[in-house]
Amino acid sequence: MAFPTVQTTGASSATATTHTVTLPATINSGDLLFIAFTCGGGSGTTVTWDNSTAGTWTEVANNTQGTNTRGVLLSKVATGTEDSAALSITLSVAAQV
């Protein structure tokens, strides 16, 4: 049995409405992928993502910590075509991630 591994992590100090998550260079068909995304803005921020460049992602969780922080968890089962794909995530207000 293969054990889960963290393939990549990242952060951005840029205050912006659009942020890009670059997926790992090697993704196999059937891999379970997660993106844990945390941003400023809290309850006043909505988060959307582009399902056309890195396949269709499902929102697993979307929670706030007051007015300061929002956390979103996305997942998908890989088709094997996601290698190094860039997923664009858009915020309703400019914030750091």
Side-chain angles (χ1 to χ4, degrees):
M1 170 185 247
F3 290 95
T5 60
V6 175
Q7 293 292 322
T8 187
T9 61
S12 172
S13 61
T15 300
T17 56
T18 301
H19 299 274
T20 301
V21 176
T22 303
L23 301 178
T26 303
I27 297 174
N28 299 308
S29 178
D31 284 354
L32 180 57
L33 306 176
F34 287 101
I35 293 176
F37 186 87
T38 305
C39 63
S43 58
T45 304
T46 58
V47 178
T48 58
W49 52 94
D50 172 18
N51 279 322
S52 64
T53 57
T56 301
W57 291 78
T58 301
E59 181 180 276
V60 176
N62 187 337
N63 297 299
T64 62
Q65 178 62 45
T67 59
N68 297 321
T69 306
R70 175 169 294 283
V72 177
L73 179 63
L74 305 174
S75 72
K76 75 172 292 194
V77 176
T79 61
T81 61
E82 298 88 356
D83 295 356
S84 300
L87 179 64
S88 179
I89 298 177
T90 303
L91 310 177
S92 60
V93 297
Q96 294 179 347
V97 299

